[in-house]
Amino acid sequence: EYQDERGQTTCKRCGAGKVPKKDNSGYYSSCEVCGPEGIEVNNPGSSCTPCKEGHYRTSGMDKCEECPSPKVALKREANGCEFCGAGTSYTDSKTCTPCPKGQFRAGQQESSTGTCLPCPVNTYSDKEKSSSCQLCPDKTYGEEGSDSAQKCTSCPTGDTFEEVNAKLKNSNIPSLLQQKCIADWGEACLSEDHSLPYGQYSTPFLTRDDIHTTPCLLEPSKKVEFQCVKKGDKSEIVVKPGCLKSEVTSEIEAIDKDTASSSTKKIAKLAEVTKKNVGLQDLKASADVIKGVTTKETKITRTVMEDIVNVTVNLIGADLRNSDIRYAASAGSEYLQSVHSALSKTDDGELLLSKDVATLHYNPPGTSTDGSSSVVKIDLGNQTSLMGAKLQTETSESRNNIVMVEGSKDMTIIILTNSKLTPDPTVFTQDQLPRPSTNTTTTAQLIADQYPNSVFVNSPVLEISIPKLDGPFKFTIPV
């Protein structure tokens, strides 16, 4: 109780969620809220007490309350509840119990009740607290809930699949269990979950060459195609996404529309967002952010350019598989052109390096504004990282890979390794790639035009923008 008025004969009670507070004179003349979160007013309301296990309190709540099933608070003084961790199941509001052998739990999506589930047919779990189950050994199958590899049973034997398949058809083995035997002979693909930039998908059991098509989660008018393809002595699912928007596209678009943040903050945020599971449309969305910053600024600072390099590292390492080869080439080209534009506003001669990306804005010494050619030499260092790359002089000698670019004044150069910016059944070696005839046509565009049904491996990739180019474009990468 407290009293904030003089001459009173009784005290006042504090409101819900509050306790008396002493003033400088030692009198309870006001009330205060119990805090931080996770603490409540005890009975009879004279002090604050931490919430006990299984209970929580957030701001706006008068007292601690029990966590709703199947969430828990495993410690005292909780300001919220959470699901039990992978490999454990909900027992009560303060207890999570490890899954027994033969069961698993990957996370909350596995069960709305927070309970462990039996291992699916043809899998087993021989450990407690399993977050997943293992596939039965080759050419064996297993019942649901198997708790060891020994519980898996051998498939019928034979010299050919036809012989084995005939035995399966005449057996009393359930069809779901037979699927494992068929797949182990390379004639089918088992049901499988797929985590793509465009969402989570599942494929059913597919026999060899079968195709499963499903709408894109974020763009139902587009499709994702899954095909069971024989590779060696096994078959595997080949994914051909036709989706463009990923689950982070809207985040990148919001950065582009943000007019309050500085260019430095926008590119830094883009570098963070693109660490997520990005997709093909995010190339163009990222290009829009970089183009907007480049248009606004008269000079691109080293800090901003370093983050643009970080964005590029994130994108070239992403899963950019797509059935729309032409869009993929266009998106990759548009993104790289945005990086070239930013590079053109950086300091001359500054080579920025990461493991897989190197960028340079360069005016070769002695060049003039008339477009006369000169050569820039870049020592790539070793083949596994660009971190050791450096500019070379005309007289320098190196036993490493050298990129030599003949061009004019004010060049911008981007070198990529392990790149997926240009999408991959035909593989072209370096000397087979078509060469652009002008600096306005990129290799990616030529590939899409001349080989619309092919996909390419392009590592390393050299992208160069050379203004005022009078003669033919050429470069060499001696090995």
Side-chain angles (χ1 to χ4, degrees):
E1 295 182 335
Y2 75 104
Q3 183 52 258
D4 56 355
E5 298 176 280
R6 293 182 180 276
Q8 302 300 313
T9 58
T10 60
C11 293
K12 302 176 183 179
R13 293 188 64 83
C14 290
K18 295 182 179 181
V19 293
K21 179 183 179 182
K22 284 184 179 181
D23 59 22
N24 293 334
S25 301
Y27 296 104
Y28 290 104
S29 59
S30 63
C31 298
E32 64 180 344
V33 176
C34 277
E37 296 176 346
I39 296 175
E40 69 175 349
V41 178
N42 71 356
N43 192 13
S46 59
S47 62
C48 298
T49 303
C51 298
K52 61 184 180 180
E53 291 91 341
H55 293 70
Y56 75 106
R57 175 178 172 267
T58 61
S59 59
M61 295 173 59
D62 293 337
K63 61 181 180 178
C64 299
E65 295 183 6
E66 187 173 12
C67 292
S69 173
K71 290 187 175 183
V72 296
L74 301 179
K75 297 180 180 180
R76 299 178 65 197
E77 205 171 315
N79 61 2
C81 304
E82 58 188 3
F83 289 98
C84 287
T88 64
S89 67
Y90 175 84
T91 302
D92 55 40
S93 62
K94 62 180 183 298
T95 311
C96 294
T97 304
C99 298
K101 295 178 181 180
Q103 296 185 22
F104 78 106
R105 183 169 174 272
Q108 91 183 66
Q109 73 278 10
E110 296 300 324
S111 172
S112 60
T113 60
T115 56
C116 300
L117 300 175
C119 286
V121 294
N122 299 321
T123 68
Y124 70 95
S125 169
D126 57 1
K127 296 178 181 179
E128 293 185 348
K129 203 177 179 180
S130 291
S131 59
S132 62
C133 301
Q134 297 174 263
L135 200 62
C136 281
D138 191 52
K139 294 182 179 173
T140 67
Y141 63 89
E143 301 280 354
E144 181 182 79
S146 296
D147 59 11
S148 71
Q150 288 69 39
K151 294 289 181 68
C152 300
T153 306
S154 296
C155 296
T157 58
D159 295 329
T160 65
F161 171 70
E162 288 72 22
E163 183 181 348
V164 171
N165 198 34
K167 291 180 180 179
L168 285 170
K169 290 180 178 179
N170 292 324
S171 73
N172 57 3
I173 301 173
S175 58
L176 276 176
L177 306 187
Q178 289 187 24
Q179 291 176 359
K180 172 71 164 50
C181 300
I182 297 171
D184 285 345
W185 273 88
E187 295 300 316
C189 299
L190 294 172
S191 59
E192 189 177 342
D193 294 328
H194 306 268
S195 179
L196 302 178
Y198 316 102
Q200 305 295 317
Y201 298 85
S202 297
T203 50
F205 174 77
L206 298 173
T207 56
R208 179 161 57 89
D209 298 328
D210 277 357
I211 295 174
H212 173 73
T213 303
T214 187
C216 299
L217 296 178
L218 301 176
E219 302 168 283
S221 62
K222 294 181 171 59
K223 308 291 182 184
V224 187
E225 181 180 291
F226 302 89
Q227 185 173 18
C228 181
V229 177
K230 185 101 180 247
K231 293 189 177 182
D233 59 353
K234 299 292 183 183
S235 288
E236 62 183 58
I237 295 292
V238 173
V239 184
K240 298 179 181 178
C243 321
L244 300 179
K245 287 185 177 181
S246 79
E247 295 176 328
V248 299
T249 302
S250 59
E251 291 185 62
I252 298 176
E253 291 173 341
I255 296 173
D256 185 41
K257 295 175 183 176
D258 179 7
T259 58
S261 297
S262 67
S263 295
T264 302
K265 288 184 177 180
K266 290 177 73 170
I267 297 299
K269 188 172 183 180
L270 181 64
E272 284 300 312
V273 170
T274 51
K275 289 179 181 178
K276 300 178 182 179
N277 203 7
V278 295
L280 198 55
Q281 189 160 322
D282 300 325
L283 283 173
K284 290 200 172 188
S286 297
D288 288 339
V289 176
I290 295 172
K291 284 187 288 187
V293 166
T294 303
T295 301
K296 177 183 177 182
E297 304 296 335
T298 56
K299 178 183 168 101
I300 298 298
T301 65
R302 181 184 178 93
T303 299
V304 170
M305 196 64 222
E306 284 176 342
D307 272 332
I308 291 176
V309 169
N310 291 335
V311 172
T312 307
V313 170
N314 296 338
L315 293 176
I316 67 173
D319 183 357
L320 301 177
R321 290 173 294 173
N322 202 278
S323 58
D324 191 341
I325 303 298
R326 186 169 294 276
Y327 184 93
S330 171
S333 175
E334 185 174 333
Y335 177 76
L336 289 172
Q337 289 304 319
S338 74
V339 179
H340 279 298
S341 297
L343 264 176
S344 69
K345 290 189 174 183
T346 60
D347 287 335
D348 172 35
E350 197 164 46
L351 188 63
L352 296 184
L353 303 172
S354 71
K355 179 178 178 295
D356 296 313
V357 178
T359 63
L360 174 68
H361 176 206
Y362 193 62
N363 286 312
T367 55
S368 61
T369 58
D370 61 5
S372 58
S373 75
S374 182
V375 174
V376 56
K377 297 169 68 178
I378 303 174
D379 182 343
L380 294 183
N382 63 57
Q383 300 251 358
T384 59
S385 174
L386 291 174
M387 290 300 293
K390 57 186 177 181
L391 286 175
Q392 293 283 309
T393 65
E394 284 293 320
T395 58
S396 301
E397 291 187 7
S398 173
R399 294 181 180 178
N400 294 321
N401 275 356
I402 300 289
V403 174
M404 294 185 292
V405 182
E406 181 176 348
S408 63
K409 186 177 177 64
D410 214 26
M411 292 184 287
T412 52
I413 300 172
I414 306 170
I415 303 172
L416 311 174
T417 68
N418 301 319
S419 175
K420 299 172 185 174
L421 292 189
T422 303
D424 148 53
T426 301
V427 176
F428 279 65
T429 61
Q430 182 180 292
D431 60 348
Q432 292 175 312
L433 283 173
R435 296 288 187 253
S437 58
T438 71
N439 65 310
T440 58
T441 303
T442 67
T443 299
Q445 289 171 330
L446 256 69
I447 289 172
D449 290 338
Q450 296 181 19
Y451 306 95
N453 298 317
S454 297
V455 192
F456 295 80
V457 171
N458 56 350
S459 180
V461 176
L462 183 63
E463 287 280 343
I464 306 170
S465 175
I466 307 176
K468 305 188 182 79
L469 184 65
D470 295 330
F473 170 94
K474 58 182 178 179
F475 69 87
T476 57
I477 308 180
V479 178

